[in-house]
Amino acid sequence: MKIVIPKERRTHEARVAATPDTIKKLIGLGASVTVEAGAGAGASISDEAYTDAGAEISANAGDMLKTADVVLKVQRPLRSGEGDVDEVGSLKKGAVLICIANPFNDRDTVDAVAKAGVTLFAMEFMPRITRAQSMDVLSSQSNLAGYKSVLDAAEHYGRVFPMMMTAAGTVAPARVMIMGVGVAGLQAIATAKRLGAIVSATDVRAATKEQVESLGGKFIMVEPDDDDSGETEGGYAKEMSEDYKKRQAELIAETIKSQDIVITTALIPGRAAPLLISEDMVASMKAGSVIVDLAVEQGGNVAGSKAGEVVKIGGVSIVGHYNVPSRLATDASALYSKNLLNFMELLVDGEEKALAIDWEDEIVKGTLMTKDGNVVHETLQ
């Protein structure tokens, strides 16, 4: 069983799909591992560190991919014409590809992978069950994004976070509001509290109230529709009714005026990010305030936010960085590669030291996008 780790070629991506630690464990599963030269540079991992762990280094991505039984990547592979290497075209028929596939925004690549006869597993479709927690890339990467969002806000905020009492006078603490209390939101709450801010948070899911308060935040919520938990069976926030959205907008509009920093994290799988902050709400905020839009790449939660830019509207800075986990590439790679390793352990027979995929396993079925030349995941039918 040959596993290969190509260099990530998509823009704004510094992560890598394996670390020296996971390389050793993959070899322990019975695999030989080849890493493309320079693959770990963005995550501060040298080629020498990989070779010390037992991997081979290849300078030719195309040749490396043609011989791979399993390909581990962060982002989906490039197709012909997208970059210097046709990664999809280089994959051999029957290979297994494991990555963050982004099928709703790039169906063409999923179709191309299926046509190539490659089995594709999308790590972002990991079921939210206890057995899969150690493989949950959305959680591991969102955790870092939530932390980094607060640091990004602090960078653009011209004041301090904690209350400071000095001989020259007292500095009031920053008021921070988190919109969307998933993994990223919870980490943002915890980080802002550690920095000394007064933190509040809102979410459509009533069940998050206890989590917010356990971290020292104040929970702000519109009363839900009758018997509506605000979440899907998988635990994600769901699209709410028009009446709920109207009442929520009224509450946010009143609350946001007194906030110094707002961090938005709301995403709905397979759909554009919901608009949470309107132009009028932005205009109501004080000059010097900061908004960080973590959903900017999915359309954005904030009117006026732009992917890859920090824009100023009426004295309010709106931060919209690309690929926030990649901005902490070393730790993000360590966590992501461990997610992949745990998933690989599910796919490999420990005694036979070979792939032995149980196609009826709940985790396998939940992440499987393509098989035997077909796109098979129910959400893509």
Side-chain angles (χ1 to χ4, degrees):
M1 178 174 59
K2 181 175 180 178
I3 298 175
V4 304
I5 316 294
K7 184 192 305 181
E8 296 296 321
R9 287 177 161 77
R10 293 196 176 273
T11 55
H12 313 295
E13 186 54 76
R15 291 171 292 181
V16 64
T19 64
D21 181 56
T22 60
I23 291 288
K24 293 175 184 176
K25 292 180 172 64
L26 290 170
I27 292 172
L29 293 177
S32 65
V33 181
T34 302
V35 179
E36 185 179 354
S44 302
I45 304 172
S46 66
D47 290 346
E48 183 180 6
Y50 283 126
T51 57
D52 288 346
E56 295 182 2
I57 300 296
S58 172
N60 191 310
D63 290 346
M64 183 177 76
L65 289 167
K66 289 174 183 176
T67 61
D69 299 307
V70 178
V71 178
L72 302 181
K73 283 184 56 62
V74 180
Q75 301 250 16
R76 64 198 186 282
L78 298 176
R79 290 177 282 118
S80 177
E82 287 191 306
D84 61 328
V85 177
D86 178 5
E87 294 178 304
V88 174
S90 298
L91 296 169
K92 74 176 184 181
K93 184 176 181 179
V96 172
L97 169 65
I98 307 172
C99 64
I100 298 172
N102 197 15
F104 296 129
N105 294 321
D106 189 1
R107 177 60 188 265
D108 288 345
T109 293
V110 176
D111 290 340
V113 170
K115 186 177 180 180
V118 173
T119 299
L120 169 63
F121 290 100
M123 290 297 289
E124 73 269 39
F125 279 70
M126 192 63 61
R128 290 214 157 171
I129 58 176
T130 301
R131 193 163 61 90
Q133 285 181 347
S134 65
M135 312 170 202
D136 188 348
V137 301
L138 291 182
S139 292
S140 72
Q141 302 304 290
S142 295
N143 199 27
L144 292 170
Y147 165 81
K148 185 63 171 172
S149 70
V150 178
L151 301 189
D152 287 338
E155 179 184 352
H156 293 280
Y157 184 53
R159 299 167 60 188
V160 299
F161 269 51
M163 174 184 284
M164 290 187 177
M165 301 180 71
T166 75
T170 300
V171 177
R175 292 183 175 273
V176 177
M177 184 177 184
I178 312 299
M179 302 184 69
V181 189
V183 174
L186 289 170
Q187 183 57 247
I189 292 168
T191 303
K193 284 296 292 184
R194 284 195 292 266
L195 291 176
I198 296 173
V199 183
S200 59
T202 184
D203 196 284
V204 300
R205 297 165 294 176
T208 60
K209 179 177 187 292
E210 185 178 343
Q211 295 171 309
V212 171
E213 292 176 346
S214 71
L215 292 171
K218 178 183 177 182
F219 191 63
I220 301 170
M221 184 183 181
V222 174
E223 286 300 314
D225 300 325
D226 292 341
D227 301 320
D228 192 341
S229 66
E231 60 184 340
T232 65
E233 290 182 4
Y236 295 99
K238 71 175 188 179
E239 188 87 20
M240 301 299 284
S241 69
E242 291 303 316
D243 177 65
Y244 182 96
K245 290 177 183 177
K246 180 181 178 181
R247 290 184 286 123
Q248 182 190 43
E250 291 172 352
L251 176 64
I252 298 307
E254 187 59 34
T255 306
I256 206 170
K257 297 175 184 177
S258 63
Q259 303 301 310
D260 300 302
I261 292 167
V262 179
I263 296 170
T264 66
T265 72
L267 289 169
I268 299 173
R271 310 180 87 175
L275 183 66
L276 302 180
I277 300 179
S278 67
E279 292 179 0
D280 288 343
M281 293 178 192
V282 173
S284 74
M285 297 183 73
K286 298 170 289 187
S289 299
V290 177
I291 304 173
V292 179
D293 189 349
L294 283 181
V296 69
E297 292 179 88
Q298 292 296 105
N301 297 143
V302 184
S305 66
K306 294 183 180 179
E309 296 185 29
V310 179
V311 298
K312 271 205 168 185
I313 299 178
V316 178
S317 298
I318 305 176
V319 182
H321 290 304
Y322 282 114
N323 196 351
V324 176
S326 181
R327 301 179 70 235
L328 296 168
T330 300
D331 288 329
S333 297
L335 295 178
Y336 179 76
S337 62
K338 191 64 183 293
N339 293 144
L340 288 179
L341 171 66
N342 292 331
F343 186 61
M344 280 297 300
E345 289 175 341
L346 177 70
L347 306 183
V348 173
D349 185 311
E351 294 184 2
E352 296 293 328
K353 305 292 186 183
L355 284 172
I357 301 172
D358 177 2
W359 302 107
E360 296 304 312
D361 186 282
E362 183 178 4
I363 294 174
V364 170
K365 291 171 70 174
T367 54
L368 182 64
M369 298 289 110
T370 67
K371 182 175 182 281
D372 299 329
N374 299 306
V375 176
V376 298
H377 199 276
E378 60 182 6
T379 63
L380 302 178
Q381 299 306 307

